[in-house]
Amino acid sequence: MSKFDRRSFLMTTAGLAAGAALPLAAPPLIRSARAAGPVKLGCLFSSSGTMANLEGRMNFVAKMAADEINAAGGVNGSTIEVVTSDPASDWPLYAQIGRQMLSETKVAALFGCWTSVSRKSVLPVVEQNDGLLFYPLHFEGDENSKNVVYVNSPPASSVLPAVDYLMSPDGVEAKRFFMIGSDYVWPRTINKQLKGYWKSKGIEESAWKEEYVPFSFSNFQTIVNQIRAFADAPGGKCVVVLTVVGSSIPDFMREFANQGISSSDVPVLGLDMVEADLEGLDTAKMVGHLNCWAYLQQAKGDANVKFLKSWSDYVTKTGAPFKKDVAIDPMVSTYDAVHLWAMAAKKAGSFDVPEVRKAFDGLSFDCPSGYKIGMTAENNYVSRGVFIGSVNETQGFDVLWQSPDTPKPVPMSQY
């Protein structure tokens, strides 16, 4: 498994800027992904910076998926070599490393990015180079590029069903909403869509409030006090829609519990909250708070049993610095993505992006979530199931609700 890191990348670019001499024979040594030998896949996932605890896992699970495919004979006569990187949660660096992987390393596809701002930094790179980026996070939608495979769910398939649940008699019949997010495109766009959705339901603007904090923000005492005051006002049941990311998630949940606010008082819907965010927290004080993803570790079925065992065995074998008994949605989405790419390349009989893209129509894969996910010729969105999870006492989520099927993904919001 080859690796790019921030230091080696900056040393390379610094040397070029200084006019450092390169061997004249270097270009022929850069092997195309379409040439004989291994086919290379590039990962743009950070193992340092504010997103590292979650994002770093994806480099390992992509390699695990590639190992499975290689053990079954590879693709089109080639084995897969995974080239990893560390963009260090530095948004411009995702684009720079992505460009180098496509133009110099000649990867057949990229897998990666965590935040929407990192994806948007890479978007022009893959479009200019006619590359493919498989993006494994659920996100705000309102984007539909032929050069991006949107492996996870847009809001119409995930966020809106979760909010509908909270507003229903099966939920808490929520009437009022406090939105707190990290200050970037995903939270602001999601909250804009939610406000439009609530307006369409006849809910007045006085029924919601929104606040934004910087990345890595940790001191939530004042904001939790604001939530308490908002929840105590008349007008019906209040819920928190949480779209902070990275280390801010456990910091918020810890402060919420420290102030003695339970899920029966004010439920939190953590749209980005996954099992790994609960590590080290006393979740007995957080039971009943919610999340919404296309996979939960408690999903039923043989495919999930197999995936969880494979991850546990892989961590044991490789010494990957993560818990072998914790799996999160973006890990599964990355695993799915590598398999979907391999299936498309095999169907196309080629690693060339235009041919692989044509082969997406009709692909399906037995996801560890228990759903058969699929693609069509309509766009590069993947149809997935939806789960609403409820925090339990053992730092995980119980399945509270799940969709009966895989809803058709709608890229563009009407709100």
Side-chain angles (χ1 to χ4, degrees):
M1 178 168 64
S2 304
K3 182 176 180 179
F4 281 94
D5 59 29
R6 182 184 179 89
R7 182 181 180 190
S8 63
F9 178 83
L10 294 177
M11 288 176 65
T12 300
T13 54
L16 291 173
L22 292 176
L24 294 179
L29 296 178
I30 299 173
R31 178 177 291 158
S32 169
R34 294 176 289 277
V39 56
K40 296 181 180 180
L41 302 180
C43 284
L44 297 174
F45 294 114
S46 294
S47 55
S48 64
T50 187
M51 304 298 167
N53 179 50
L54 300 180
E55 197 173 342
R57 302 163 196 251
M58 307 314 124
N59 286 316
F60 291 92
V61 81
K63 179 64 165 57
M64 185 182 87
D67 286 351
E68 289 182 2
I69 296 164
N70 288 339
V75 184
N76 299 340
S78 295
T79 57
I80 298 172
E81 178 185 342
V82 174
V83 182
T84 63
S85 66
D86 179 19
S89 304
D90 180 357
W91 321 134
L93 195 55
Y94 287 82
Q96 295 170 32
I97 295 176
R99 188 181 302 278
Q100 184 175 351
M101 283 186 171
L102 289 170
S103 63
E104 298 180 25
T105 311
K106 303 296 184 182
V107 298
L110 294 169
F111 298 78
C113 303
W114 190 269
T115 63
S116 288
V117 67
S118 62
R119 184 192 75 253
K120 286 185 176 295
S121 76
V122 175
L123 180 60
V125 171
V126 292
E127 290 183 337
Q128 291 163 10
N129 291 272
D130 197 23
L132 272 179
L133 169 67
F134 286 76
Y135 181 64
L137 274 288
H138 69 186
F139 72 119
E140 70 284 349
D142 288 351
E143 181 182 296
N144 191 5
S145 171
K146 71 175 185 177
N147 298 99
V148 179
V149 178
Y150 304 91
V151 185
N152 218 300
S153 302
S157 302
S158 56
V159 176
L160 296 188
V163 171
D164 279 341
Y165 177 86
L166 283 169
M167 294 169 62
S168 74
D170 290 336
V172 296
E173 297 186 282
K175 306 291 185 186
R176 301 166 64 247
F177 310 90
F178 195 107
M179 298 168 280
I180 169 68
S182 298
D183 193 4
Y184 76 108
V185 59
W186 144 255
R188 285 191 175 273
T189 306
I190 284 292
N191 290 340
K192 178 182 177 181
Q193 293 173 7
L194 284 174
K195 289 182 288 185
Y197 183 65
W198 291 325
K199 285 182 180 179
S200 75
K201 299 290 186 181
I203 298 175
E204 299 292 332
E205 291 187 28
S206 59
W208 63 73
K209 181 177 176 60
E210 60 186 317
E211 295 286 345
Y212 297 94
V213 298
F215 284 107
S216 301
F217 188 81
S218 61
N219 186 2
F220 285 97
Q221 183 175 3
T222 299
I223 288 176
V224 172
N225 284 333
Q226 293 176 20
I227 292 171
R228 185 194 298 276
F230 184 78
D232 287 343
K237 186 70 172 181
C238 171
V239 301
V240 173
V241 180
L242 185 70
T243 50
V244 298
V245 297
S247 59
S248 293
I249 295 174
D251 288 334
F252 175 88
M253 297 303 295
R254 188 181 295 107
E255 179 62 30
F256 212 68
N258 287 345
Q259 292 203 23
I261 308 175
S262 70
S263 61
S264 59
D265 298 324
V266 183
V268 174
L269 173 62
L271 294 181
D272 293 275
M273 187 163 55
V274 294
E275 288 85 348
D277 290 311
L278 302 178
E279 293 175 3
L281 297 180
D282 180 5
T283 54
K285 299 178 180 179
M286 303 172 188
V287 168
H289 292 306
L290 309 174
N291 75 347
C292 176
W293 283 96
Y295 168 84
L296 290 177
Q297 186 169 330
Q298 296 295 335
K300 303 298 183 184
D302 293 342
N304 194 34
V305 172
K306 178 183 176 183
F307 174 81
L308 292 173
K309 184 179 187 306
S310 294
W311 174 246
S312 178
D313 292 346
Y314 186 80
V315 172
T316 300
K317 175 184 174 182
T318 65
F322 301 104
K323 287 189 174 182
K324 64 181 183 180
D325 59 349
V326 175
I328 61 176
D329 176 297
M331 287 171 55
V332 168
S333 297
T334 300
Y335 175 85
D336 293 345
V338 175
H339 278 280
L340 285 171
W341 171 84
M343 293 169 68
K346 182 177 180 180
K347 180 180 175 182
S350 172
F351 300 134
D352 291 344
V353 168
E355 299 306 312
V356 170
R357 190 162 46 222
K358 290 176 186 176
F360 287 152
D361 186 24
L363 290 184
S364 64
F365 180 67
D366 289 323
C367 175
S369 65
Y371 293 93
K372 186 178 286 292
I373 63 176
M375 299 185 70
T376 70
E378 187 173 342
N379 53 46
N380 283 352
Y381 277 67
V382 177
S383 59
R384 308 185 65 94
V386 182
F387 292 85
I388 297 175
S390 176
V391 176
N392 60 36
E393 294 185 353
T394 57
Q395 301 179 353
F397 292 90
D398 295 327
V399 177
L400 184 64
W401 175 89
Q402 66 182 97
S403 60
D405 52 20
T406 56
K408 177 182 177 180
V410 180
M412 302 300 176
S413 171
Q414 60 179 303
Y415 302 106

